[in-house]
Amino acid sequence: MGIARLADVIKEEAAEAVNSFPLRQYRDRVIALDASIAIYQFRTAMPKLFNRNGENISHLQGLFYRTLHLLENGIKPVFVFDGRPPDLKQPLLARRAEAAGARRDAAESRRAENLPRPLKQDCETLLSYLGVPYVQAPAEAEATCAALVKSGKVWCTATEDMDALPFGSLRLIRHLSSKKNCEVEEISLPDILQKLGMTQEQFVDLYILLGCDYCGKIWRLGPKKALKLLQQHGTIEQVLQNIDPQKHPLPANWDLEGTRRLFLQPEVADPGRITLEWRDPDPEGLVRFLAHEKHMNESRVCQRLQRWQEAQSKPREAQPKQRVPREGRRQRKLGEFFPASKRARPPEVPGPRPSRKRQKLQVGTPGEAGSPDPGK
DNA sequence: TCTCTCACTCGAGACGTG
DNA sequence: CCACGTCC
DNA sequence: ACATCGAGTGAGAG
């Protein structure tokens, strides 16, 4: 909610903290993604895709395509799942549920976990077959993403949500999708703090004044004034002593300390106890799971996997100079994806299998030879 | 008059083809 | 390169 | 087996 405001403030007052880089610069970088947000977007924002059992599989399709796109660009993604929402967020969730209407007991039972159980399990299964690690956050996913960045295990957080910044994610990238453009917007937290002349604590205060999800905001105190007053007085308490309480009433049940603590000492997964490993995607497993079990269009799955494979076998695209030694890449042929039996295939598609020869997929080991650091 | 805030609406992903 | 229709 | 979230407008207050 207050996210747009923060984006505006940053663009206007700390434009130097925002840079655009081509996606290629993130080759070999570990990037944390908020899984719940992505999945929810796939599920809601899209023409819903139903398989023959009437199950909505938009999230699988979306996650499959998007993750392969990242892998093709040499990115090492790690997905972070939301845990239990903090108590301070309950009023907001309740309001949303109420606005949504009808069912409050359903909302009640759903409070513990954001995503329906089977939905999440499907995604975890898919990620496992893709060889991509995922992390279960105890609370807000953004908080754990930030902790992973701070620990150095992860290079940056990829999200459209600005929450990661007050949580302390040093780098935040946006617009990470497979658009033609391939330009990624990177926001540097240290640069923001330096340009605004603020500490992280003051930045959190700013975020609170802008109207974060965890507590109400002060009436008639928008981005411009909030920034100016905070820079002038240092803390929200000091700001409050310098504005007219009549004109700027505080919201009810305003837990300022609790909200600050939520950002500054959030409940996160311990990065020290997390090991991130990436394996090659398992094409056979993917076809089995997506096409046979979940009834995604089989030829589409295979086509996409094949494209991924071809991209693997010629990594020269990114760096024409540095050639990956041929020995470094082990190539192995896999059996046919399609089991010899054409059973599950209803004859509705007359000629869906044009080139049989290309159905053989090869698994290549992604070159460990990395490119030098991206910007700064 | 201009700036700022707030309430509202709308679009949203990835692919292949032409 | 873009606009458009399909994905199940 | 349900409803998200931010960017972009327009009205109104200070």
Side-chain angles (χ1 to χ4, degrees):
Chain A
M1 269 181 144
I3 287 128
R5 306 172 197 282
L6 180 61
D8 288 343
V9 169
I10 291 171
K11 266 188 216 136
E12 213 157 293
E13 308 289 336
E16 296 89 341
V18 184
N19 287 295
S20 277
F21 297 115
L23 189 55
R24 144 174 35 93
Q25 300 246 289
Y26 294 87
R27 185 162 287 274
D28 292 325
R29 291 294 183 201
V30 180
I31 297 182
L33 298 102
D34 184 330
S36 307
I37 299 248
I39 289 161
Y40 207 88
Q41 280 173 351
F42 286 133
R43 261 181 88 75
T44 59
M46 228 59 31
K48 299 183 193 318
L49 306 180
F50 292 102
N51 68 7
R52 71 180 66 166
N53 297 342
E55 301 165 319
N56 185 338
I57 56 168
S58 301
H59 58 292
L60 291 175
Q61 180 116 298
L63 193 60
F64 174 63
Y65 281 129
R66 184 176 288 182
T67 306
L68 276 182
H69 176 251
L70 295 178
L71 292 174
E72 275 174 356
N73 284 276
I75 287 166
K76 297 173 163 176
V78 47
F79 284 87
V80 180
F81 285 92
D82 259 330
R84 165 187 247 101
D87 290 342
L88 281 176
K89 208 174 184 175
Q90 293 305 349
L92 177 78
L93 297 179
R95 251 193 308 128
R96 280 183 192 160
E98 188 180 351
R103 343 180 24 128
R104 10 170 237 289
D105 3 28
E108 197 84 27
S109 68
R110 199 160 303 191
R111 275 182 189 184
E113 209 82 12
N114 277 352
L115 250 41
R117 176 59 80 66
L119 191 63
K120 188 176 149 194
Q121 251 169 10
D122 284 350
C123 293
E124 291 175 348
T125 303
L126 175 56
L127 289 174
S128 300
Y129 282 128
L130 285 167
V132 168
Y134 53 86
V135 171
Q136 175 63 56
E140 300 282 74
E142 306 280 339
T144 289
C145 288
L148 287 167
V149 173
K150 281 192 274 190
S151 78
K153 289 202 174 238
V154 167
W155 174 254
C156 63
T157 305
T159 173
E160 303 305 311
D161 195 332
M162 291 277 131
D163 273 353
L165 291 173
F167 277 124
S169 178
L170 303 176
R171 276 174 291 270
L172 172 66
I173 64 176
R174 307 171 80 197
H175 312 140
L176 180 70
S177 57
S178 81
K179 297 225 174 77
K180 296 292 175 185
N181 194 4
C182 274
E183 283 268 309
V184 171
E185 183 182 284
E186 178 171 319
I187 303 178
S188 160
L189 178 57
D191 286 355
I192 293 174
L193 297 181
Q194 190 191 347
K195 191 64 178 45
L196 297 185
M198 290 180 140
T199 63
Q200 179 69 14
E201 286 75 14
Q202 291 172 322
F203 183 67
V204 167
D205 271 9
L206 173 65
Y207 196 66
I208 292 173
L209 289 185
L210 292 180
C212 68
D213 281 354
Y214 304 103
C215 64
K217 71 186 297 298
I218 301 175
W219 284 98
R220 300 238 150 267
L221 194 60
K224 310 279 183 182
K225 286 180 190 169
L227 177 63
K228 199 176 302 173
L229 289 170
L230 260 181
Q231 284 176 328
Q232 199 173 338
H233 300 110
T235 66
I236 289 181
E237 285 84 352
Q238 292 297 311
V239 169
L240 291 181
Q241 294 185 359
N242 287 275
I243 58 175
D244 183 353
Q246 302 293 328
K247 289 182 181 177
H248 302 283
L250 301 184
N253 302 325
W254 202 46
D255 188 356
L256 176 57
E257 275 309 318
T259 307
R260 277 177 175 157
R261 199 162 44 241
L262 215 136
F263 283 118
L264 295 171
Q265 291 120 31
E267 189 185 355
V268 297
D270 178 9
R273 303 187 56 183
I274 291 175
T275 47
L276 301 175
E277 283 179 359
W278 291 263
R279 303 184 314 276
D280 289 338
D282 168 11
E284 284 177 348
L286 286 166
V287 171
R288 202 178 336 113
F289 176 63
L290 291 178
H292 298 164
E293 187 175 333
K294 291 298 170 180
H295 304 295
M296 262 181 68
N297 184 290
E298 183 160 344
S299 54
R300 250 178 124 85
V301 173
C302 290
Q303 237 176 337
R304 187 60 184 87
L305 283 171
Q306 201 177 304
R307 228 185 71 202
W308 168 79
Q309 197 111 47
E310 282 160 8
Q312 287 306 104
S313 55
K314 37 183 158 180
R316 61 189 164 85
E317 198 149 338
Q319 308 91 8
K321 308 177 180 180
Q322 186 172 5
R323 202 168 283 250
V324 176
R326 285 264 177 263
E327 310 304 326
R329 280 180 292 118
R330 167 180 55 96
Q331 295 199 347
R332 171 170 74 87
K333 293 194 179 177
L334 283 178
E336 297 272 294
F337 272 6
F338 305 125
S341 68
K342 302 179 181 178
R343 44 140 196 108
R345 211 55 204 161
E348 52 191 8
V349 188
R353 233 149 299 185
S355 55
R356 262 293 182 175
K357 7 189 146 174
R358 307 300 281 165
Q359 299 296 355
K360 280 188 184 174
L361 293 194
Q362 304 168 331
V363 172
T365 307
E368 288 303 305
S371 70
D373 296 348
K376 331 185 171 175

